[in-house]
């Protein structure tokens, strides 16, 4: 599934168990992911650094673009997951 990289890998209960990293082109639904337990220690560190660097969430960025007139709110809602 192209475009899947970076997205969550979930189990049947809807729990995040990994982060998708790559797919194998031409293979039948074969992809690679990193186990969430190996990433948990890094997540908070990455979030804090991103905020310190001035990064915003997808929703915050979308709202800013709506106010600037470069997007409409339907486009923002289409990419933001609650």
């Amino acid at each position: 599934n192209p475009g899947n990289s970076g997205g969550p890998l979930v189990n049947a209960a809807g729990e995040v168990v990994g982060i998708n990293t790559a797919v194998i082109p031409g293979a039948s639904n074969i992809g690679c992911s990193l186990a969430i337990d190996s990433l948990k220690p890094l997540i908070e560190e990455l979030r804090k650094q991103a905020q310190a660097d001035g990064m915003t969430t997808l929703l915050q960025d979308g709202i800013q673009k709506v106010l600037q007139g470069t997007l409409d709110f339907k486009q923002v809602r289409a990419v933001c997951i609650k």
Side-chain angles (χ1 to χ4, degrees):
N1 182 5
N4 200 25
S5 297
L9 176 65
V10 297
N11 63 15
E15 301 165 322
V16 176
V17 295
I19 303 294
N20 295 309
T21 59
V23 297
I24 301 172
S28 180
N29 297 317
I30 297 176
C32 302
S33 65
L34 299 171
I36 197 67
D37 290 338
S38 67
L39 298 173
K40 282 182 180 179
L42 301 174
I43 292 172
E44 184 62 21
E45 181 182 336
L46 291 171
R47 188 189 63 77
K48 285 181 181 178
Q49 186 60 51
Q51 287 181 330
D53 291 344
M55 294 180 75
T56 60
T57 67
L58 188 60
L59 180 58
Q60 289 168 329
D61 182 62
I63 290 171
Q64 289 173 351
K65 290 179 179 175
V66 168
L67 294 173
Q68 293 168 353
T70 56
L71 288 177
D72 66 43
F73 198 67
K74 284 184 182 180
Q75 291 170 309
V76 174
R77 287 193 58 187
V79 297
C80 292
I81 300 171
K82 291 184 178 185

